[in-house]
Structure formats: C-alpha cells, structure tokens
C-alpha cells in the first residue's frame, strides 16, 4: 500500500474526532462526539485540524493515521482555549495538569493509526513527518508524553532518538516526558 502525507483540512474533523480519543485510549458518547468534533473545527485549540498531519492511502485517499503537533510556545494560549470546552464535554477538571510543552519545543500531542493499518511502520512515519514539520517551524527539539507502561511506544520513540526527560502529570496520571533534539 502506498501512503501519502498531507496537512489536515477542516474536512478531516470526523477522522480527527476518532483519532484523538483513540490516542488517549478513551471513547466518546454520541453527545461527546458531536461537541468534540465542533472543538476540533476551531483554529485556536490544541486538537485543531490546523495542528494535524494525515496519512492516507495514496490510491483511495482513505485516512489511515494522524498526528497532532504544535509549537510549544503556543501551548498556554491553546490550552486556555481548549480545556474549558473539554471540561464541559468530559465532566473532568484539568486544572491540576502540568503544561505539556514550552517555548522552543515541538510538542507531539496525539498519534493514532487505524487498526487495519497498524504494524506497517505508519506510526513511525507519522512521527518523522511531525518532527520534520517542527524543524520547518524553526524549533530545536521534539517532545512527547508516553505512558510508563507502554513499552511498545517507548521502543518506537527510542528508535527515533527520543530520550527520557522528566515526568508530566496529565489527564489524571503520570506520564514520562521524552525529548529529541533536532
């Protein structure tokens, strides 16, 4: 299967509405899906379509994977625009969360691959595309959060040159913060 990568458009909102919860290992009710999809259509939020790269089948144009990443210098403003709506959608308090990224970093926020496209190296290719996007923005390193129990993800990130760089308390649990200098 030939894969191509492209920046997302507003037309990808439905796919991203699947992908972000998939990356966070959660599912949405129909009401949450509708509200979350509306959030992703905004341009000022963390999970905006403007922050996404899509991997798709080059022939059918069917989306197979997505990665969301952004300049960490924009994190605080986007967080302020994102979390009040997310608190309403998910009935959760995110005020105790650490900042996931800071100025000078490209933060890789969410990565998801459709089940039928897994084990084909697509996640790795999406990460490489995201890091290249960060380099083009002039940033000097990529940062991501990984669940300490997700050994497969850690192996992937290590193969790409990421190294442990601290901890983050996000979404009610402690994640490891991994960093890769460009």
């Amino acid at each position: 299967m030939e894969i191509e990568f492209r920046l997302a458009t507003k037309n990808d909102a439905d796919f991203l509405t699947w992908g972000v919860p998939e990356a966070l290992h959660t599912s949405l009710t129909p009401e949450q899906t509708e509200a979350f999809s509306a959030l992703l259509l905004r341009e000022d939020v963390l999970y905006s379509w403007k922050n996404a790269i899509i991997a798709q089948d080059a022939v059918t144009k069917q989306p197979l994977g997505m990665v969301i990443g952004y300049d960490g210098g924009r994190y605080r403003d986007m967080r302020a625009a994102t979390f009040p709506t997310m608190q309403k959608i998910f009935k959760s308090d995110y005020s105790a969360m650490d900042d996931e990224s800071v100025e000078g970093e490209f933060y890789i926020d969410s990565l998801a691959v459709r089940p039928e496209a897994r084990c084909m190296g697509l996640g790795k290719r999406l990460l490489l595309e995201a890091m290249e996007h960060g380099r083009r923005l002039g940033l000097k390193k990529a940062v991501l959060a990984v669940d300490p129990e997700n050994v497969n993800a850690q192996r992937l990130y290590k193969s790409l040159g990421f190294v442990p760089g601290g901890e983050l308390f996000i979404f009610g649990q402690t994640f490891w913060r991994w960093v890769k200098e460009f």
Side-chain angles (χ1 to χ4, degrees):
M1 176 184 323
E2 186 179 340
I3 305 296
E4 59 188 16
F5 298 88
R6 63 176 174 76
L7 297 177
T9 69
K10 284 185 176 185
N11 293 334
D12 294 306
D14 286 344
F15 184 68
L16 297 171
T17 301
W18 167 83
V20 175
E22 180 75 8
L24 299 173
H25 305 289
T26 191
S27 58
L28 305 179
T29 67
E31 296 81 19
Q32 289 172 323
T33 299
E34 184 178 337
F36 195 63
S37 183
L39 179 70
L40 299 180
L41 287 171
R42 292 177 47 186
E43 296 185 12
D44 62 337
V45 296
L46 297 169
Y47 306 115
S48 171
W49 63 272
K50 296 276 285 188
N51 297 328
I53 296 171
I54 302 293
Q56 65 185 19
D57 183 299
V59 176
T60 66
K61 307 300 183 193
Q62 183 70 28
L64 300 172
M66 54 123 278
V67 61
I68 291 183
Y70 42 80
D71 178 344
R74 297 174 43 228
Y75 178 79
R76 284 258 173 120
D77 289 340
M78 290 190 300
R79 176 181 170 149
T82 305
F83 285 176
T85 301
M86 284 189 54
Q87 284 178 253
K88 290 176 187 170
I89 295 170
F90 298 108
K91 311 287 190 253
S92 295
D93 180 10
Y94 302 111
S95 61
M97 278 183 51
D98 290 334
D99 283 348
E100 296 170 75
S101 190
V102 297
E103 185 81 32
E105 299 176 342
F106 185 75
Y107 187 68
I108 300 172
D109 189 297
S110 304
L111 171 72
V113 175
R114 286 263 189 219
E116 66 272 17
R118 292 181 185 157
C119 300
M120 297 171 28
L122 192 51
K124 184 175 190 173
R125 291 177 64 194
L126 277 161
L127 288 168
L128 290 168
E129 288 287 328
M131 288 187 290
E132 182 56 33
H133 185 69
R135 280 189 207 95
R136 284 193 303 269
L137 293 175
L139 301 169
K140 303 298 182 201
K141 61 183 164 184
V143 175
L144 50 77
V146 60
D147 185 329
E149 296 180 17
N150 192 339
V151 178
N152 290 333
Q154 293 170 40
R155 189 176 359 223
L156 171 60
Y157 302 151
K158 188 174 183 177
S159 78
L160 293 171
F162 283 87
V163 295
E167 293 183 345
L168 291 168
F169 183 76
I170 52 179
F171 298 110
Q173 70 181 74
T174 300
F175 286 80
W176 289 341
R177 182 179 199 272
W178 283 38
V179 180
K180 177 184 172 49
E181 302 287 332
F182 292 149

